[in-house]
Amino acid sequence: MKFTTKVVHSQLKGTEEIRSKTTPIYQTSAFSFTSLEELEGFYEGKSPYLYSRTGNPNTDELGKMVAELEGAPAGVATSSGLSAILVGILAVVQAGDHIVAAEDLYGGTFHMLKEELKSFGISTSFVDFTSEEEIEAALTPDTKLLYSETVTNPFMRVEDISRMVALAEKHNLKSMIDNTFATPFLRQPYLEGVDLVAHSATKYIGGHSDITAGVVVGKEELVQKAREKVVNIGSNLSPFEAWLTCRGAKTLALRVGTQAQNAGTLADELRSNEQVKRVYYPTDLSDKGNGAIVTIELDASCDISTFFKSLGWIKIIPSLAGVETTVSYPLGTSHRALPKEAQEKLGINTHVVRISLGIEDGGDIVSQFNEAIAASVKK
Ligand SMILES: *Cc1c(COP(=O)(O)O)cnc(C)c1O
């Protein structure tokens, strides 16, 4: 062999004898075959991999892992939370169909439904999901799907999953829920009867703020349809990001357990702070904790800009779910694009702050917030 050939072909062949403790990263765009018979075998289902857009061991590992954690038979990993939501929805609806969705959805999902899917002939009604009457009033003969989130953002409304499932069954609809904020550690909506469960794995599943990824899980038949959408649209996840997400996910219970405990401690503490007008933190999400996001509304006596400047080691980050405690400003970021009336209806104003709890010492977190609030009181 000439050098130019050797340099390409001299890498280790196969991993059978190596017995690596962790899954290797199959950072490859395609898989090799030694004969036309073997190639034919792929189409007969004898070998699982052909081309990474159609399937890869690392992305499969992530899909299967989240499915297992959710108690669902199948799952598929995708390039982002939004693409997981998209392929899940497209597994159920097509042009001419109608969706009834909660009005307080994640902004990205809201825009996808309202603009992108609408342009493909899929319409959505956004209604108050706390009202069974409003949900039923929005149904049309074309309605195929009820869509909501286990816990909504930023006010941490916990969805009544059993009511949603009962309504879907009553009207012969599918149900789908975004379980990003709750995580399968705290809630498993599939086991409560929801057909499809989506995640932005960018958040708690990955947990370390270093990837963008998504997963959708459910019954094999629906997930198979979602998988076809991933292949046809090209919203597959890269092997390395899938690998990082799986690595991060191993500590999901430890992280979310501690984060939820810190959130509970901070919520209790801030409820007794005179400068805090409201604390939004649920009490009925699960018996293992109530999530790791606390949203507060500071009193008008506080200068909001001084508050954000006085947070010391707590950074302003327009995302959530990392191991570090961070804060975000819904009015300036996640809910910026909403019309003023919608912001007012939801309660998003100049003094609302969303806190994503990390795994630091709970006492340190409480002191840092107390300090920043005290510093922000207008003289
Ligand atoms: C972040 C987020 C998404 C979107 O996920 P990406 O990974 O950013 O595409 C969807 N739903 C919820 C609840 C989120 O927090």
Side-chain angles (χ1 to χ4, degrees), residues 69-262:
L69 297 179
E70 288 280 3
V76 61
T78 70
S79 59
S80 67
L82 266 191
S83 63
I85 293 165
L86 175 65
V87 298
I89 289 175
L90 293 181
V92 178
V93 304
Q94 57 185 40
D97 289 343
H98 176 248
I99 300 167
V100 176
E103 64 183 353
D104 46 358
L105 292 184
Y106 174 75
T109 309
F110 177 74
H111 286 115
M112 182 171 75
L113 289 165
K114 190 162 173 274
E115 280 135 41
E116 302 306 331
L117 289 184
K118 185 165 172 246
S119 77
F120 287 96
I122 297 162
S123 57
T124 304
S125 301
F126 298 94
V127 306
D128 178 355
F129 259 47
T130 63
S131 159
E132 188 164 332
E133 294 71 46
E134 275 206 33
I135 297 174
E136 289 200 305
L139 299 175
T140 77
D142 296 326
T143 309
K144 294 277 155 49
L145 179 69
L146 293 185
Y147 185 93
S148 188
E149 297 171 354
T150 316
V151 190
T152 64
N153 173 30
F155 296 121
M156 304 295 286
R157 178 180 71 81
V158 178
E159 187 56 81
D160 185 338
I161 295 179
S162 62
R163 180 175 60 199
M164 188 177 159
V165 168
L167 278 173
E169 275 168 11
K170 179 175 168 196
H171 298 283
N172 199 20
L173 311 169
K174 297 281 188 233
S175 56
M176 177 168 173
I177 208 156
D178 178 335
N179 199 34
T180 302
F181 272 44
T183 83
F185 178 62
L186 299 178
R187 281 295 276 274
Q188 296 158 308
Y190 179 81
L191 296 179
E192 297 178 55
V194 173
D195 294 299
L196 284 168
V197 178
H199 279 279
S200 169
T202 311
K203 314 292 167 48
Y204 293 104
I205 305 256
H208 294 75
S209 319
D210 49 9
I211 50 98
T212 299
V215 183
V216 60
V217 310
K219 285 207 186 74
E220 181 56 48
E221 182 212 339
L222 279 177
V223 170
Q224 183 51 32
K225 281 194 188 154
R227 212 176 272 130
E228 282 161 20
K229 305 298 170 193
V230 172
V231 174
N232 295 338
I233 293 169
S235 57
N236 52 295
L237 181 64
S238 85
F240 182 52
E241 296 209 47
W243 185 89
L244 277 175
T245 310
C246 285
R247 181 174 74 154
K250 290 173 189 172
T251 55
L252 181 72
L254 296 176
R255 284 185 282 104
V256 175
T258 303
Q259 285 164 317
Q261 198 178 351
N262 281 342

Side-chain angles (χ1 to χ4, degrees), residues 313-363:
W313 50 270
I314 298 171
K315 296 201 182 76
I316 307 169
I317 311 267
S319 185
L320 56 110
V323 293
E324 309 84 1
T325 297
T326 59
V327 290
S328 79
Y329 191 50
L331 186 68
T333 57
S334 53
H335 295 71
R336 189 186 187 101
L338 281 186
K340 210 168 176 59
E341 313 79 70
Q343 287 171 348
E344 273 165 18
K345 188 177 177 206
L346 292 173
I348 291 156
N349 62 41
T350 54
H351 279 57
V352 169
V353 179
R354 188 186 74 194
I355 305 161
S356 171
L357 276 294
I359 58 170
E360 303 96 338
D361 176 76

Side-chain angles (χ1 to χ4, degrees), residues 266-273 276 279 296 355 369-370 373:
L266 183 69
D268 284 347
E269 194 68 32
L270 295 184
R271 273 192 192 106
S272 55
N273 186 316
V276 180
V279 175
I296 58 171
I355 305 161
F369 277 102
N370 282 337
I373 293 167

